[in-house]
Amino acid sequence: MQLPLLRLDDEVEIHPARKLLGTVDAVLVAGGRDFVTARADTLDLGFDGIAGDHHRGVTRRSGGREPWYPRGTEMRNERQLSIVAADELAIVAGRMELAEILPEWIGANMVLGGVPGLSMLPAGTLLFFSGGVTLKVDGQNVPCRIAGRSIADHARMPDREAGALLFPKVARRLRGLVAWVEKPGRIAAGEKVSVRIPEQWIYRP
């Protein structure tokens, strides 16, 4: 007879919820035909994401990140915003032997400051902006060759394809986060943001 699974909570390492305070250093919009963004003063957000942005939509089509679906399957858009940190981009630039990597080059919609290890914020983290908007973090934004190729083009790297391949290797866990709109409104550069990190643990069945 199979015994029922016992849960011994005292054996689980649980990290309590935390709050941090950050700043919106820049906001950006991809208003063209591709993901490359440009600086803006504000972002107007609805439940479908940023008004006029390349990644706007309540749903999106699946791609290489979702191998469990046939490519092109309609699914919920949890990638409405791309959020990065300047200190992490500086580390990636150093690893690629570049003077800088601008957030525009990799399609970032927001640069957040004052949040240590931004890319390591767990899924479910809530971002409460002083102007009233709330975003929910879906998870890390995995670096890809498309963004690497954009970096190589903008930085005028001599070997475009080498740059495209290098970026995914050196930017893992430093490429920022993707998030979706939980409470719409307007976000302005310079706003404060309260970062609410949920209780965390490692699941071991």
Side-chain angles (χ1 to χ4, degrees):
M1 181 178 70
Q2 186 176 5
L3 295 175
L5 180 65
L6 298 177
R7 179 160 188 127
L8 302 175
D9 286 336
D10 58 349
E11 295 181 359
V12 179
E13 183 180 356
I14 297 177
H15 295 266
R18 295 182 60 195
K19 294 181 183 179
L20 301 172
L21 186 64
T23 305
V24 180
D25 290 344
V27 293
L28 310 95
V29 178
R33 295 186 177 181
D34 60 17
F35 65 91
V36 175
T37 50
R39 303 262 171 161
D41 295 324
T42 59
L43 298 179
D44 289 311
L45 299 107
F47 287 114
D48 58 351
I50 303 169
D53 189 75
H54 181 74
H55 289 105
R56 183 181 185 182
V58 175
T59 64
R60 66 179 180 88
R61 300 291 179 179
S62 65
R65 295 183 177 89
E66 299 84 28
W68 43 87
Y69 297 134
R71 189 178 289 267
T73 300
E74 188 175 19
M75 58 177 287
R76 180 177 297 280
N77 183 12
E78 82 296 9
R79 301 177 60 84
Q80 292 175 339
L81 289 95
S82 168
I83 305 171
V84 300
D87 59 338
E88 292 182 337
L89 292 185
I91 294 172
V92 178
R95 291 177 178 178
M96 295 184 71
E97 298 183 354
L98 298 174
E100 62 180 356
I101 293 176
L102 296 183
E104 293 93 322
W105 300 350
I106 57 173
N109 298 116
M110 187 179 302
V111 181
L112 283 187
V115 182
L118 178 80
S119 293
M120 299 303 290
L121 290 178
T125 295
L126 286 167
L127 307 176
F128 293 92
F129 294 83
S130 57
V133 172
T134 306
L135 303 180
K136 193 163 192 175
V137 172
D138 180 76
Q140 289 188 357
N141 196 358
V142 179
C144 66
R145 285 183 290 178
I146 296 173
R149 194 170 290 116
S150 176
I151 292 170
D153 288 342
H154 284 91
R156 299 183 180 180
M157 296 179 69
D159 190 331
R160 183 173 186 252
E161 288 308 310
L165 292 171
L166 180 60
F167 178 65
K169 293 179 181 178
V170 301
R172 188 169 179 80
R173 300 188 179 91
L174 291 168
R175 200 252 186 267
L177 306 164
V178 288
W180 49 274
V181 178
E182 179 164 282
K183 181 174 177 289
R186 174 173 289 180
I187 297 174
E191 275 191 38
K192 298 297 182 183
V193 55
S194 176
V195 180
R196 311 284 182 90
I197 304 170
E199 189 176 72
Q200 298 175 74
W201 56 85
I202 301 298
Y203 174 69
R204 293 188 178 93

